[in-house]
Each structure stands twice: as C-alpha cells, then as structure tokens.
Amino acid sequence: MLLSTVIPVYNAAPYLAKSIGSIITQDLPDGEHEVLLVDDGSTDSSAGICDEYARRYPGLVRVIHKPNGGVASARNAGLKAAQGRYVHFMDSDDWIIPGSYNYVREHYLDGVEPDYLGFWSVTLDSVMRRKWKEESRLDGEVIYDGRAHDYYASGKFLPFSTIGWYRRSFLLDKQLEFREGMIISEDTLFNLNFAMANPVIRLTNSVLYRYEMRDGSAINQRSEAKMRKSVECYEILFSSVMNHRGTHAWFEDGADMLVSNQIVPFMSRVLSAGYSAAEFKALRSRLEAISLLPVKVSGRMSRVVNHIFAHSSLFPVYTMLYRRVFVPYVLPRLSRN
C-alpha cells in the first residue's frame, strides 16, 4: 500500500463532508490508499459521521475511536495503525484538490522514495477568501532534493505536518512522534526532530493543500488560558531549537531563522495572555537563560520584539495597545499566507 491518510477528528461535523470527500475521491489505484479517521473523543455527531464513511467505503476508510487527547495524540494513534509506505497527516476541516495524490505518485515519486515528499498549501483566511479563485491546478516541479540538514542549515524549515508525505518506516525507525499536550507548534517541533534525523527530502511547488482558517478554530481562540498554554508550547519549541543550535554548529544560522519566523506569533500570544509585569519578567528570564533573547536575526519585527522585552516596565501599555487596537482592527486585515 502506498499511502495512509491520517485525519484527527474532534467536533468537526460541519466540515467532514468536504474534508473526507476530498480524500476518498483521490484517484490512487485500488489497494494503494487507506483513510484513517481518528475520532478524538468528539462530543458532537463527528463519531457517527466517521462510522458512516467506514460503512460506505469498506477497504478504504477505517475509524479509530479514542478518548480526547488532542491533535498530537490523535496523529500518533493514526501513525501506529497506518499500513501505507507513506503517511499524510491532514486536518479535519481542510481539504486537498482533486487528483493530488495520483499526481504526486506519477510526477514526484518517479523511481525514488524519499523520506519526505512536500508540497505547498494556501491558507484560506478571511483575507484570502475574498480574493482567492480556486483553479485546482496540480502542476509544479521539484524545487529541492537533498538532506534535511542542508535545508535547515540554509535557514529554511518544514512548517506544517499537513503538507507532505512521510515515509512511515523512517518515522518508526527513528521513533518520531508528535509531542502530546501541545496545542500549537506541534508541527514545527515534530518536523524539527524529523529533520535532525537527517532524512532525504524532496520538495515541490505544487499547491495542493487548502488550509481552512475559521473564526472558531483553535488558532483563533484568544482566551487568556488558551494563550498561556500556547506560550508554554512555544517555550517547548524554542528550548528544543536552542538545544539543537548548541549541539550542531551547522544549525546556528538555521536556528536563528526558525526562531525569527516563530517569534511574532509567539509574541502575539504573550500579549494576549494577561500576564502581569512580574510574569512577563519571569518569561524574559527564561528566554534569556536559553540564549533566545535578544532575537538574533535582524528585521523590523525582531527589533520590535527585542524592544518589548528590553522595556518590560512598558509591558502593560503594549498589552493594552495590542488587545484594543491591533487584534480588533489590524489582525483581521492580515493574511497568513
């Protein structure tokens, strides 16, 4: 079997028809594809919808029911149950354009079996939806063939686990799993650990995946409790990045670029978390202890972040401006693409 598609499902009933429908209609030959729907303790009708797809498509769709443990836990459960040579992790409210899987098989696995085959996505946020015209174009070309160490050393990195196929035997041999309990950046951390094992990666510029950013999605929820948990997850990521930076001399520039890329979404959650001045100072101390601050890559946003951390006495002012001006008036006008 060529491919296992693993889809964690948690209270996603309104979106499952489009998401699962885009997968079961992919045109891989019979017996070359399976779909694993991992019901992560849903409390809406998602579990029943998943069971109905398994009933309608025996031999293609399987369902795993488990207690709620989060997306990382669900992906790990799907990985353990998968049978394909490759695994594609997909989110339950996203979709992939028709013919994508067979196009990847025919055009990018031409006599080779890399440890990772990546493609591109479009983030359909409120800004992009107003101007995006879906053309469902499959065409593209290989833009990188080589080792992950070289790719990460160049300052580039693999962002999301949903935009590529992973060779399952490589993940199992290296005992690579998603870190459970993380609610954000689990993809970046997983891919960092994956890259440190130095897999052979093949990257393409075919834009096959559609990432739906909805108003109620986890990434858009800004309760203080959710933001504090998100900051904790970013600290786990940053600690791992800086640890690898200290261990691998070749990764110094790459680590700095990865931190620079992640520092702005991290800072947005810090400013939304309701921290006191004392808590903010403690956070700054923890980041200084792992040599993350000041952010080393020059640029306007890095300078802003460094300025905020350097003037912690003004943190309440920055928080007020961010929450009362930036979030309601500026953020909705920014695209995540």
Side-chain angles (χ1 to χ4, degrees):
M1 181 181 294
L2 174 64
L3 181 67
S4 300
T5 304
V6 173
I7 306 179
V9 177
Y10 178 71
N11 291 355
Y15 317 118
L16 290 178
K18 185 171 186 178
S19 180
I20 299 173
S22 77
I23 292 299
I24 61 177
T25 55
Q26 293 291 320
D27 51 358
L28 287 176
D30 290 345
E32 287 293 285
H33 183 210
E34 66 172 353
V35 181
L36 297 175
L37 304 176
V38 185
D39 168 39
D40 191 38
S42 296
T43 57
D44 67 354
S45 59
S46 294
I49 293 172
C50 291
D51 288 338
E52 176 62 18
Y53 273 103
R55 187 192 66 79
R56 290 168 55 192
Y57 299 95
L60 174 62
V61 178
R62 288 192 285 147
V63 181
I64 300 170
H65 295 287
K66 61 181 288 297
N68 180 252
V71 64
S73 171
R75 287 174 182 157
N76 289 339
L79 175 60
K80 288 183 175 68
Q83 299 176 353
R85 297 199 305 278
Y86 285 93
V87 178
H88 177 212
F89 301 104
M90 181 169 163
D91 287 345
S92 59
D93 54 353
D94 298 342
W95 51 283
I96 193 164
I97 64 176
S100 295
Y101 282 174
N102 202 45
Y103 188 86
V104 168
R105 181 179 70 91
E106 291 184 346
H107 290 80
Y108 299 134
L109 295 179
D110 47 353
V112 299
E113 287 212 355
D115 301 312
Y116 177 83
L117 190 288
F119 37 83
W120 285 0
S121 68
V122 173
T123 299
L124 296 175
D125 53 28
S126 58
V127 177
M128 183 58 74
R129 285 194 190 96
R130 291 195 295 267
K131 61 182 181 180
W132 176 254
K133 181 180 179 181
E134 182 59 63
E135 296 180 347
S136 297
R137 293 183 57 182
L138 299 169
D139 58 300
E141 60 185 8
V142 174
I143 57 175
Y144 182 82
D145 248 332
R147 290 284 180 175
H149 280 188
D150 295 330
Y151 192 70
Y152 272 61
S154 71
K156 300 175 183 177
F157 61 96
L158 305 176
F160 306 117
S161 62
T162 54
I163 54 173
W165 295 7
Y166 298 84
R167 192 157 60 86
R168 183 170 63 92
S169 61
F170 187 92
L171 299 182
L172 297 178
D173 289 345
K174 303 300 182 181
Q175 298 181 316
L176 292 167
E177 291 186 333
F178 292 88
R179 177 154 176 162
E180 300 189 9
M182 291 187 71
I183 64 171
I184 198 168
S185 288
E186 80 285 345
D187 299 70
T188 308
L189 179 61
F190 176 80
N191 279 331
L192 174 64
N193 294 331
F194 176 64
M196 289 300 126
N198 205 23
V200 175
I201 62 176
R202 169 171 277 202
L203 307 179
T204 78
N205 59 6
S206 287
V207 188
L208 307 179
Y209 194 82
R210 302 294 181 264
Y211 172 48
E212 292 275 3
M213 182 173 286
R214 305 182 188 278
D215 291 340
S217 65
I219 200 168
N220 280 316
Q221 296 175 11
R222 289 190 172 267
S223 70
E224 289 187 358
K226 181 79 71 173
M227 294 298 96
R228 285 173 177 250
K229 179 63 176 177
S230 296
V231 171
E232 293 174 8
C233 294
Y234 273 108
E235 286 194 71
I236 292 171
L237 171 64
F238 290 148
S239 293
S240 183
V241 171
M242 299 310 290
N243 179 62
H244 286 304
R245 185 184 190 277
T247 304
H248 306 291
W250 59 266
F251 186 48
E252 288 184 2
D253 291 342
D256 293 343
M257 289 298 298
L258 200 161
V259 168
S260 178
N261 180 274
Q262 297 291 305
I263 201 69
V264 172
F266 164 72
M267 199 70 212
S268 75
R269 284 151 182 84
V270 172
L271 293 169
S272 300
Y275 285 134
S276 67
E279 288 175 313
F280 182 70
K281 289 180 181 178
L283 173 62
R284 183 185 67 185
S285 295
R286 293 195 300 272
L287 297 179
E288 288 174 342
I290 62 173
S291 301
L292 185 118
L293 291 178
V295 180
K296 298 171 181 63
V297 175
S298 62
R300 180 169 57 88
M301 296 311 300
S302 294
R303 290 195 297 271
V304 169
V305 171
N306 287 337
H307 177 83
I308 294 174
F309 275 109
H311 298 83
S312 55
S313 61
L314 296 175
F315 179 69
V317 176
Y318 295 132
T319 297
M320 179 189 67
L321 291 173
Y322 183 79
R323 300 179 76 166
R324 294 186 182 180
V325 178
F326 186 84
V327 170
Y329 300 111
V330 179
L331 188 60
R333 293 172 171 80
L334 300 178
S335 176
R336 275 62 167 186
N337 288 278

